[in-house]
Amino acid sequence: MNILVTGGAGFIGSHVVRLFVNRYPDYNIVNMDKLTYAGNLANLADVEERPNYTFVRADICDYERVLEILKEHKIEGIIHLAAESHVDRSIRDPFSFAQTNVMGTLSLLQAARNYWESLPEGYEGKRFYHISTDEVYGALDFDGTFFTEETKYAPHSPYSASKASSDHFVRAYHDTYGMPTIVTNCSNNYGPYQFPEKLIPLFINNIRRGKQLPVYGKGENVRDWLYVEDHARAIDIIFHRGKTADTYNIGGFNEWRNIDLIKVIIATVDRLLGNPEGASLSLIKYVTDRPGHDLRYAIDSSKLKEELGWEPSLQFEEGIERTVRWYLDNEAWMEQVTSGEYMRYYDEMYNNR
Ligand code: NAD
Ligand code: DAU
């Protein structure tokens, strides 16, 4: 197959590209990425010379260019991850989230429709797989309930509203034009190559540099954490065997209150750096809460387990140990992504809290 992965230079995308390039030597994997602040080709240095891998720098919003790329590489399957992905940024700049996540997804859908409908076999053997988030379901209370595939959409942040909108467009292209689409909604990912604006890599990096750890509100919000390679494995299974026009939730059955997770991160970093136990606890600083901060996310991914046999493979303790080690061992990567523009943004944003 010829597969286009959008956003392949980002966090999850780079794990998906690596998995597909390694696992499917007979496929051609085309990584199309605009290389925003979050995209980094260093994330894929280990596969960049492979004969079944091609990188193309392009913006999903550029419909004509996307169409050209689909035709040139005879793309049969699309795994769409390109997005603006950080909630705090969406609160500051909602327009760019609507532009990339909604208009960009629409541009990609329309280009795929145009190209695939022009072929003699049409949509046969094609697949448009859209990667979405559990945040489209809104927030849960501390009542033990879970998001299922039937939960009504109720997004709260500009980010989740833009992802919800893009999900609706994807489903509309199936219902209206017969495009073979599929959507998955996943919980919080963690692991190597995540941009250090997100909680786990940000805090690991701050602890190492002796910087404060800004805990939003009381640190009581709950997230369900999944190791990124388990997500990539789910994407592989669903891309190949998921039911067309269906939706699958992907989650870790691994809920953590932020403050408890933060204490695990502190203990792990301190231990691996040889600091006295609890040395970095004093870096915790409770700061103004994120506006509209969703209280709790929890995903029920039993449909995926029952239908396609996927479940998380890594215990959280092992996942967090691997993750902390990776960031501590890859200081050059961290230096590269936190230099220049990003640090100016970070300092402005966090110093104002
Ligand atoms: P990320 O921010 O690390 O990477 C996004 C990538 O998209 C970057 O490489 C960036 O350069 C690229 N990109 C952005 N705008 C683009 C454009 N206009 N054209 C082409 N490329 C563009 O994001 P991530 O955390 O890897 O998330 C990937 C996808 O998975 C997103 O759609 C996100 O909504 C979804 N998701 C993320 C999580 C999570 O915990 N990180 C959980 C569930 C779903
Ligand atoms: O649930 C899936 C979503 O998970 C994805 O769709 C998003 O792309 C991804 O960014 C993530 O969203 P969150 O907002 O949950 O992730 P973030 O790492 O930004 O924050 C995790 C929790 O930690 C959240 O409750 C806010 C809190 N937090 C975050 C930061 C960056 C802090 O307390 N302090 C911080 O500095």
Side-chain angles (χ1 to χ4, degrees), residues 199-220:
L199 181 75
I200 291 181
L202 173 70
F203 277 33
I204 295 171
N205 192 36
N206 281 11
I207 296 167
R208 184 172 47 190
R209 296 181 186 193
K211 288 179 80 164
Q212 285 186 330
L213 306 174
V215 180
Y216 298 169
K218 294 182 177 150
E220 282 175 341

Side-chain angles (χ1 to χ4, degrees), residues 149 182-185 238 242-243 246-250 303 307:
E149 288 80 0
I182 199 151
V183 177
T184 56
N185 299 83
I238 294 162
K243 229 184 310 151
D246 216 341
T247 293
Y248 297 89
N249 280 351
I250 309 173
K303 172 176 168 181
E307 287 189 14

